[in-house]
Amino acid sequence: MHMGVSNAFPGGGVEPKVFKALLTMDPYVLVGDGTGDVRGIQQWMNERYVRRREFFIIPCGGQYSREVARALMLAIQYEIGMSDDQANGVFGPGTQQGLREHPLSVGSEGNWVLLFSAAMIFKQRSGVFFSSVFGSGLEAAVEAFQRFTRLSVNGRADFPTWASLLVSTGDPTRKGTACDCVTEITPDRARALRDEGYLYVGRYLTNVPGTTLDRNIKPGELETIADAGLSVYPIYQTYGGAASYFSEEQGVADALAAIDAYNHSVRAGIITGTPMDPASDADLWATWQQLNQDNVYCVSTVPHVHFHHAELIGAPRPSLDISEQGVLDLPTRYQGELDHPDAQEGGRRRLGLCRILEQYNAFMRNL
């Protein structure tokens, strides 16, 4: 009953899929921040699709998860008419074409409306009920979602709306207004981007150590971008990414550095707050989670690290009138000890970045 499969599997026997579900740690009662609406959808999907070969009993704890997202994709593929050999839970060409062939609007009824309202509920859209009838309330919620995702507002479950609900990329054919640029924005490139409808360009503040790709923003490039009527958003990335980086030791080191910097800024009165305990596993874990998941927190921690390092090496606090040697010492200490050759090389490389940032700030101050 809790799994929602009592009608699909009547009788007292234990079906293989039920037994498999019992061997997992998946919940089948409401847990944590789970909701009754989500749980009802989970039970409904189990009931309707559990006899399909690739559909296994999903959790019914009322929480949306990756497993539930895949189950929804499988359900859509089954309703499209895919066989068990075709349905794979992937948002591929066949699934996309099937969604294009099943638009919904006010007055639509049936399983497609149930699946669409389920997708809206999974995305925590307010005012949506799990229903087989597409009514005016669902239409209003769809319009709000379309405004939020910058889609054409029509209140219908068209393909772009389905795509934005199902995958993070949304409609892969949708034309955007922002782009991430790894090469210099020249005047010709800026004009070409603007002519194609782009309004925002992302440019990197530094190159990734150990790589040969020269992608950092160049002197004068901000003026070129502004002259073309474009806006820029800076991108800070110092590591290209590999699974080997994410070790327990690296996580502890990153968290300790962030905690030390934060505590120094609190003690110095730069920010308000309560100092954290670097010996506390809870504080270390919470800080590492923020560093790993919150880009704003991660970037905003860097100046506190510099403030802390300035105190450690007896340098003045970073300011607009700091000497160039003082500017050099801070990124050097950021890389390691001042007398370490690798740290010195890292500091010299980042001195150019500091100059670029000052040009950026001066430009923003209209100096």
Side-chain angles (χ1 to χ4, degrees):
M1 180 173 66
H2 292 299
M3 296 177 181
V5 296
S6 56
N7 291 329
F9 297 137
V14 179
E15 295 287 335
K17 286 187 177 181
V18 174
F19 189 63
K20 179 180 184 296
L22 291 173
L23 295 177
T24 70
M25 296 296 291
D26 291 340
Y28 296 99
V29 296
L30 277 178
V31 295
D33 58 354
T35 69
D37 288 341
V38 172
R39 183 169 186 258
I41 296 168
Q42 292 167 327
Q43 291 174 317
W44 176 80
M45 287 198 294
N46 282 340
E47 174 74 24
R48 180 166 177 78
Y49 304 109
V50 71
R51 289 193 173 277
R52 297 299 296 260
R53 189 183 71 197
E54 299 302 321
F55 193 98
F56 293 88
I57 295 173
I58 60 174
C60 296
Q63 296 172 319
Y64 183 59
S65 65
R66 183 175 182 176
E67 185 177 357
V68 176
R70 183 176 184 274
L72 176 62
M73 196 73 74
L74 283 171
I76 289 170
Q77 291 172 336
Y78 297 146
E79 296 299 336
I80 288 172
M82 292 186 181
S83 68
D84 286 336
D85 289 331
Q86 294 172 316
N88 56 10
V90 176
F91 190 67
T95 304
Q96 294 175 33
Q97 183 58 35
L99 289 170
R100 288 188 173 93
E101 294 172 357
H102 291 86
L104 305 170
S105 58
V106 172
S108 298
E109 297 183 8
N111 289 329
W112 278 104
V113 180
L114 283 167
L115 291 174
F116 182 77
S117 62
M120 290 282 286
I121 291 171
F122 288 158
K123 286 295 183 285
Q124 300 180 351
R125 307 310 301 178
S126 61
V128 180
F129 301 95
F130 186 50
S131 171
S132 62
V133 178
F134 199 122
S136 58
L138 181 56
E139 180 186 41
V142 171
E143 290 174 347
F145 177 72
Q146 290 169 334
R147 282 191 291 270
F148 174 73
T149 51
R150 299 296 183 91
L151 296 171
S152 297
V153 179
N154 54 32
R156 298 193 297 270
D158 53 15
F159 175 72
T161 306
W162 269 111
S164 290
L165 287 169
L166 295 174
V167 290
S168 60
T169 55
D171 180 359
T173 65
R174 176 184 177 185
K175 192 171 183 178
T177 58
C179 60
D180 174 350
C181 303
V182 298
T183 53
E184 181 180 357
I185 304 296
T186 63
D188 287 344
R189 182 167 290 149
R191 284 191 295 271
L193 288 168
R194 187 58 193 259
D195 290 344
E196 287 296 316
Y198 288 98
L199 302 175
Y200 312 95
V201 293
R203 290 294 286 119
Y204 289 82
L205 297 177
T206 183
N207 290 327
V208 177
T211 66
T212 58
L213 181 61
D214 183 18
R215 62 181 185 177
N216 64 317
I217 193 167
K218 302 297 185 291
E221 193 174 343
L222 286 169
E223 289 85 347
T224 299
I225 293 170
D227 289 344
L230 299 170
S231 297
V232 64
Y233 58 93
I235 303 171
Y236 177 69
Q237 182 184 40
T238 58
Y239 186 65
S244 59
Y245 178 85
F246 298 98
S247 64
E248 180 180 353
E249 293 77 13
Q250 188 63 54
V252 171
D254 288 346
L256 280 172
I259 287 175
D260 285 344
Y262 170 83
N263 288 345
H264 168 72
S265 293
V266 171
R267 290 193 299 268
I270 298 171
I271 58 175
T272 59
T274 303
M276 290 184 286
D277 181 6
S280 165
D281 286 343
D283 282 353
L284 281 171
W285 173 249
T287 303
W288 167 240
Q289 287 292 92
Q290 281 191 282
L291 288 171
N292 191 36
Q293 299 175 5
D294 188 339
N295 291 334
V296 174
Y297 176 81
C298 192
V299 173
S300 65
T301 298
V302 174
H304 301 306
V305 174
H306 284 318
F307 287 138
H308 186 213
H309 287 167
E311 181 186 57
L312 291 176
I313 64 177
R317 181 182 296 179
S319 63
L320 290 176
D321 57 358
I322 191 173
S323 68
E324 184 155 303
Q325 183 60 47
V327 173
L328 176 61
D329 285 343
L330 290 177
T332 300
R333 180 61 182 83
Y334 190 77
Q335 302 301 310
E337 298 299 329
L338 288 178
D339 58 354
H340 195 285
D342 290 343
Q344 292 172 352
E345 175 61 22
R348 284 192 292 271
R349 289 182 178 180
R350 284 158 180 79
L351 182 60
L353 170 62
C354 293
R355 293 190 180 115
I356 291 174
L357 286 172
E358 177 51 30
Q359 284 196 353
Y360 176 80
N361 290 331
F363 174 74
M364 297 300 290
R365 292 193 299 268
N366 293 320
L367 296 180

